[in-house]
Amino acid sequence: MMKVSIYSAEDIFYEGECESLIVPTTDGQYGILPNHCDIIAAITPGELQYKLPGEEKKLAAVSEGLLKVENGNVLILVDTAERPEEIDANRAKMAADAAREEMLQKHSRVEYRSIQAQLARAISRLSVREHVFKDEM
């Protein structure tokens, strides 16, 4: 087991023991098991998978942030972290559509990157919700 702390800008998402994690990073999905080497990595919007002791794998939609593994402890700091049941699918679809439309407009590179991040977050939220609530989509 490893101690994991997942913090969003608004609250504590999870603190406690964990068997494994899969985190979306700039280098792709990154798996973490107990006794992992020390690292620091950038988190991208996507699907966070975590396995708590004696439970099934859980999913969360996370936005940009940072991952730090040090001395067997894992710290995840993200702007947002949402459980599937907290995600409003209609709102996420509208956000994705709005971001796609916005990308077609002429913007500066900074604005374009911001819109890309909004689109990635909306898509990851939909993906997480869809994995858990397949029948409702």
Side-chain angles (χ1 to χ4, degrees):
M1 294 298 154
M2 58 189 161
K3 182 168 182 333
V4 173
S5 300
I6 303 172
Y7 302 131
S8 73
E10 295 179 1
D11 64 358
I12 298 170
F13 182 81
Y14 177 75
E15 279 186 323
E17 296 294 315
C18 192
E19 292 180 2
S20 65
L21 286 164
I22 298 177
V23 183
T25 71
T26 54
D27 294 325
Q29 298 285 27
Y30 198 87
I32 302 169
L33 295 170
N35 301 313
H36 195 284
C37 64
D38 293 353
I39 62 157
I40 294 178
I43 295 174
T44 59
E47 194 175 278
L48 171 73
Q49 299 176 30
Y50 57 107
K51 181 147 180 7
L52 304 180
E55 295 185 26
E56 293 292 316
K57 174 183 73 174
K58 296 181 180 265
L59 298 175
V62 294
S63 59
E64 304 84 7
L66 252 122
L67 161 70
K68 179 176 120 177
V69 179
E70 184 176 43
N71 299 325
N73 296 316
V74 179
L75 174 63
I76 294 176
L77 302 171
V78 289
D79 289 335
T80 61
E82 296 174 281
R83 291 171 182 84
E85 61 273 12
E86 298 171 341
I87 298 169
D88 180 339
N90 290 329
R91 199 175 106 212
K93 285 178 188 174
M94 289 184 347
D97 291 343
R100 285 185 186 102
E101 181 65 34
E102 197 62 27
M103 288 179 79
L104 298 174
Q105 309 303 315
K106 293 189 182 227
H107 292 285
S108 70
R109 284 187 182 160
V110 171
E111 290 170 325
Y112 188 80
R113 297 269 188 234
S114 174
I115 295 165
Q116 277 183 316
Q118 291 170 18
L119 178 59
R121 180 172 181 259
I123 289 171
S124 73
R125 293 176 74 229
L126 285 170
S127 174
V128 166
R129 175 123 177 119
E130 190 175 277
H131 275 100
V132 175
F133 300 103
K134 293 178 185 113
D135 298 333
E136 293 180 18
M137 298 301 282

